[in-house]
Amino acid sequence: MRGALDEEDARALAGREVVLIDLLDRLLQGGVVLTGDLVLSIADVDLVRIDLRAVIAPVDAEHPAPALP
């Protein structure tokens, strides 16, 4: 499995300014996994807990989007 940036990519990006949209485009070409946890509590009592797990991947001819129900 390939990491987010390998050595070749890191060298290519080292001496130049990167625009946010270019960075997002590069990340989304291979897919991104987002995870996060949010806990709201009062006086050490957890009231709300939200767990986020999302996979964002490109859709192309080889990997079409799943059919909607």
Side-chain angles (χ1 to χ4, degrees):
M1 187 167 156
R2 185 180 153 165
L5 287 175
D6 59 13
E7 287 182 37
E8 182 179 331
D9 292 336
R11 281 192 298 257
L13 294 174
R16 68 181 197 126
E17 190 174 311
V18 178
V19 180
L20 181 60
I21 192 70
D22 292 336
L23 181 61
L24 287 174
D25 182 51
R26 188 168 183 90
L27 286 173
L28 292 177
Q29 284 178 359
V32 177
V33 176
L34 301 174
T35 60
D37 298 315
L38 176 68
V39 178
L40 299 176
S41 60
I42 295 177
D44 291 330
V45 176
D46 294 345
L47 301 175
V48 177
R49 180 184 174 115
I50 300 172
D51 294 328
L52 170 68
R53 307 281 187 275
V55 176
I56 301 172
V59 176
D60 57 16
E62 291 181 26
H63 304 95
L68 297 175

